[in-house]
Amino acid sequence: VEFLYCDLASMKSIRQFVQQFRAKNCPLHVLVNNAGVMLVPERKTEDGFEEHFGLNYLGHFLLTNLLLDTLKQSGTHSHNARIVTVSSATHYVGKLHLNDLQSRCSYSPHGAYSQSKLALVLFTYRLQHLLTANGSHVTANVVDPGVVNTELYKHVFWVVKVAIWMTAWLFLKTPEEGASTSIYAAVSPEMEGVGGCYLYNEERTKSADIAYDEELQKRLWTESCKLVGISDESSRVP
């Protein structure tokens, strides 16, 4: 196992990481987008993005796009490269505010978090559409790990922390259990060549209705390209 440093809250760090990875001339068969923060107080990344949206979503958006060429070169007809993005059930209540993606008008930790997770689902569906249209041997799926007992909950109210501590053994998944659906999406033979799915407990599940809005997917993709400073090549694809 070899580690390369990458701070998903920093566009500069992401670009440096991709340069380091490309320099190794390694194939890339699986990319799992799993970094995230939850319910953090209102604050910005070094690039000026609201932290939930900047780290949870834009960081993965840029990373995936910068690695797409390598993924496409690594995938074959019989062994597709795979992109697995971790969202959350909170996306079902999320609202995408295209005119205020940085939550400047009204900040809510819950609203910002759920928006970032909805954005990841919209991104995955649009990405799969583009990959299919280009005939690429790469698939993109999004997973819901469930409620997992990790440090992700360190910003919740203390009363909730106590409740989690008391009931974790009964209601919360262990990190190993929480990772199972991501692993399933990454390596299962059943998912070979299958993309554009929302997975929960290793099963294909329907995501929020709004996530299937293709026009919203396109608009988010275009705006995301502007925010991270990459060209929107998808504009040439229906």
Side-chain angles (χ1 to χ4, degrees), residues 3-225:
F3 295 93
L4 295 178
Y5 179 79
C6 181
D7 180 358
L8 269 292
S10 165
M11 301 296 118
K12 179 180 178 181
S13 178
I14 294 168
R15 292 179 184 276
Q16 290 176 339
F17 164 80
V18 172
Q19 285 183 334
Q20 289 179 309
F21 181 79
R22 283 179 173 170
K24 293 181 175 295
N25 292 315
C26 294
L28 178 57
H29 299 109
V30 178
L31 171 65
V32 180
N33 294 319
N34 186 57
V37 292
M38 184 176 77
L39 307 183
V40 297
E42 185 173 9
R43 59 194 187 198
K44 294 180 173 60
T45 66
E46 66 178 47
D47 301 288
F49 302 126
E50 186 277 316
E51 190 166 348
H52 291 98
F53 194 76
L55 193 161
N56 294 1
Y57 170 66
L58 286 178
H60 291 121
F61 179 87
L62 178 61
L63 178 67
T64 302
N65 274 279
L66 294 181
L67 291 172
L68 265 184
D69 285 344
T70 305
L71 285 158
K72 290 175 180 178
Q73 293 164 10
S74 304
T76 65
H77 177 71
S78 59
H79 194 124
N80 281 219
R82 304 187 188 188
I83 300 168
V84 181
T85 297
V86 180
S87 181
S88 161
T90 59
H91 91 275
Y92 286 104
V93 296
K95 295 182 179 179
L96 195 76
H97 302 284
L98 275 172
N99 296 323
D100 186 27
L101 291 172
Q102 309 306 326
S103 303
R104 294 191 178 99
C105 293
S106 177
Y107 182 78
S108 158
H110 293 83
Y113 177 72
S114 59
Q115 175 180 245
S116 72
K117 291 302 180 178
L118 173 59
L120 289 170
V121 183
L122 289 158
F123 154 67
T124 299
Y125 291 165
R126 181 58 181 166
L127 176 59
Q128 183 59 55
H129 176 83
L130 298 174
L131 291 168
T132 301
N134 291 325
S136 303
H137 297 306
V138 183
T139 59
N141 290 295
V142 58
V143 307
D144 172 6
V147 184
V148 188
N149 188 17
T150 69
E151 286 297 306
L152 193 62
Y153 298 93
K154 65 183 180 181
H155 292 290
V156 300
F157 293 122
W158 71 268
V159 175
V160 179
K161 286 183 181 179
V162 171
I164 290 175
W165 177 77
M166 294 177 64
T167 61
W169 64 275
L170 183 61
F171 297 112
L172 273 64
K173 293 182 178 181
T174 65
E176 290 78 12
E177 291 170 337
S180 65
T181 303
S182 294
I183 295 170
Y184 173 80
V187 301
S188 171
E190 296 174 22
M191 294 303 295
E192 177 57 48
V194 178
C197 297
Y198 184 85
L199 302 169
Y200 176 64
N201 284 345
E202 301 181 14
E203 294 183 357
R204 300 178 206 181
T205 307
K206 186 176 183 298
S207 62
D209 290 340
I210 191 67
Y212 299 102
D213 186 331
E214 294 184 2
E215 185 59 31
L216 187 60
Q217 294 169 14
K218 291 180 184 178
R219 292 174 64 192
L220 175 63
W221 186 283
T222 298
E223 184 61 26
S224 301
C225 287

